[in-house]
Amino acid sequence: MEKIFQYDQLYAFTNAVFTSMGCSFEHAKTATKVLLSADLRGIDSHGVARLSGYVRLWKAGRINSKPTIKIIHETPSTAVVDGDQGLGLVVAPFAMEIAMQKASAVGTGWVAVQNSNHFGIAGYHAMMALEKDMIGMAMTNASALVAPTFSVEKMLGTNPIAVAIPAQDQPPFVADFATTTAANGKLEILQRKGQDAPKGWVQDHIGNESNDANILKKDGSLLPLGSDREHGSHKGYALGSIVDIFSAVLSGAAYGPWAPPFPAYIPMPENMPGKGLGHFLGAMRVDAFRPADEFKSHMDHWINRFRNAQPIQGEEKVLIPGDPERIMENERIKNGIPLLSIVVEDLQKTGEIFGIKLSQ
């Protein structure tokens, strides 16, 4: 069963939880906006359903609600940021602002982040660049849940990549995707619904195909994008590896199987080679390449042509990356955000920790 909540209801509740954790007014506001952007865009796995997970990490002393986020190394076009164990929901926007400042000054800006935590949906951070006529990029490493091609050992996270590109009259191109066949959050949704996982999402502890949505709790693993070698899993493995290296090896964060796990009950890995989770944010000023209006006009032309590509039989039209999320956002702003009953119960229990009530 589902219950419908208006954005303002969830905003007030979530903001109050972050404030009760000790976050400043500005940090609580930023964290709430980033978290709820996932619910608005239909990425329910990364929205308020994750709020209790952040609280548990905070209670375990693995999230610093009052971080001193700072640049620890920089050049005119690059920087490394130490997130001081803060919420990734706060650290990543801070780093993206730096990337955009550098892009404004020299055309492009790249920021690697160490000592952070889960940063919500990558698309939010990439899309920050759109209003400044910039192309935005965002990626992050994550809890090791993914087995490389030909392995049963969990070595990588779902390691998403997001790219946001402005257009003129058309909505922007926004690609935001995990480098696995499916994100772990989608497994969590199936678990809440008591449903099986589709073929190609996961494998068991000895590498056999599985449709058990709870297989990760039985030492199974997620599969790279492509599922198996015959369907290109080596490419998904490569993409996830690139994200891990850019986000963590480059920044000084913990990488591969040493990435800090999101569930607070899982102990931190031993002999960690770096600090916390890592992110990688980038911004490129369009007019560093060609006049922005000229580029955006051609992006409109590109988008229109792809929208009008002939669809296969049974499909109404071809979509552009970002279309489903934009459509969902418009719908949910108007009609509210549906939450599964089990998520509502979890939020209510989370609120009770701080004496906060989730209004319905």
Side-chain angles (χ1 to χ4, degrees):
M1 291 182 62
E2 292 181 336
K3 296 184 179 180
I4 305 297
F5 291 82
Q6 296 303 311
Y7 178 86
D8 290 346
Q9 291 175 287
L10 293 179
Y11 183 96
F13 175 81
T14 304
N15 186 268
V17 168
F18 283 130
T19 300
S20 296
M21 285 169 56
C23 295
S24 68
F25 173 81
E26 284 301 323
H27 282 188
K29 177 181 175 182
T30 298
T32 301
K33 284 176 61 180
V34 176
L35 197 64
L36 290 184
S37 70
D39 292 294
L40 283 178
R41 293 174 68 77
I43 310 172
D44 299 334
S45 57
H46 284 58
V48 290
R50 293 246 169 174
L51 183 59
S52 63
Y54 292 108
V55 173
R56 285 190 290 271
L57 286 172
W58 168 72
K59 290 178 71 177
R62 285 166 49 185
I63 283 180
N64 178 6
S65 61
K66 294 181 171 67
T68 301
I69 309 167
K70 60 185 178 183
I71 296 172
I72 57 174
H73 178 75
E74 68 178 322
T75 73
S77 63
T78 67
V80 178
V81 164
D82 187 312
D84 195 25
Q85 286 189 291
L87 285 162
L89 304 168
V90 173
V91 177
F94 177 95
M96 191 60 182
E97 288 287 354
I98 294 169
M100 292 189 295
Q101 290 168 13
K102 289 183 176 295
S104 293
V106 298
T108 184
W110 303 97
V111 180
V113 179
Q114 62 168 245
N115 206 12
S116 187
N117 281 282
H118 190 278
F119 78 176
I121 58 170
Y124 179 93
H125 312 298
M127 290 172 67
M128 288 174 63
L130 294 174
E131 293 183 5
K132 299 181 181 294
D133 279 348
M134 293 181 186
I135 295 170
M137 295 180 65
M139 57 188 78
T140 184
N141 73 336
S143 310
L145 300 171
V146 184
T149 302
F150 302 142
S151 179
V152 295
E153 190 174 357
K154 294 187 282 290
M155 298 290 287
L156 292 168
T158 52
N159 293 10
I161 300 171
V163 178
I165 304 173
Q168 191 115 291
D169 298 323
Q170 289 293 328
F173 174 108
V174 182
D176 182 2
F177 57 95
T179 54
T180 46
T181 302
N184 180 43
K186 291 187 177 180
L187 273 187
E188 294 171 346
I189 290 172
L190 293 177
Q191 291 165 17
R192 296 179 194 123
K193 294 180 177 180
Q195 298 175 353
D196 288 338
K199 180 180 179 181
W201 281 24
V202 292
Q203 66 182 16
D204 67 16
H205 69 289
I206 58 173
N208 292 323
E209 195 175 87
S210 175
N211 64 356
D212 184 354
N214 292 285
I215 199 69
L216 297 184
K217 300 172 184 176
K218 305 170 185 176
D219 207 27
S221 53
L222 287 167
L223 293 170
L225 186 62
S227 298
D228 55 38
R229 180 64 174 78
E230 288 70 27
H231 294 91
S233 68
H234 58 293
K235 299 176 184 177
Y237 166 33
L239 284 170
S241 300
I242 290 167
V243 173
D244 197 42
I245 294 165
F246 277 35
S247 300
V249 180
L250 194 61
S251 70
Y255 44 80
W258 295 281
F262 184 78
Y265 63 84
I266 298 177
M268 292 288 275
E270 296 181 357
N271 302 315
M272 293 174 66
K275 294 182 176 180
L277 283 186
H279 318 313
F280 189 74
L281 295 304
M284 295 184 287
R285 212 175 66 215
V286 168
D287 67 3
F289 297 89
R290 67 187 298 192
D293 286 344
E294 182 180 289
F295 169 82
K296 292 192 293 183
S297 175
H298 278 268
M299 274 303 300
D300 280 358
H301 188 251
W302 188 97
I303 290 169
N304 281 322
R305 180 62 186 91
F306 275 76
R307 280 199 204 285
N308 290 292
Q310 184 174 343
I312 60 174
Q313 188 172 1
E315 294 295 334
E316 182 180 345
K317 60 182 179 179
V318 174
L319 297 174
I320 300 302
D323 279 351
E325 295 85 357
R326 177 178 51 81
I327 293 167
M328 183 65 74
E329 184 170 1
N330 291 336
E331 179 182 317
R332 289 188 170 182
I333 287 174
K334 179 180 179 181
N335 299 319
I337 298 168
L339 299 180
L340 293 171
S341 295
I342 191 171
V343 173
V344 175
E345 292 170 10
D346 187 49
L347 290 174
Q348 290 170 334
K349 290 178 181 177
T350 300
E352 289 171 3
I353 297 171
F354 305 105
I356 302 167
K357 187 175 181 180
L358 176 62
S359 60
Q360 298 184 48

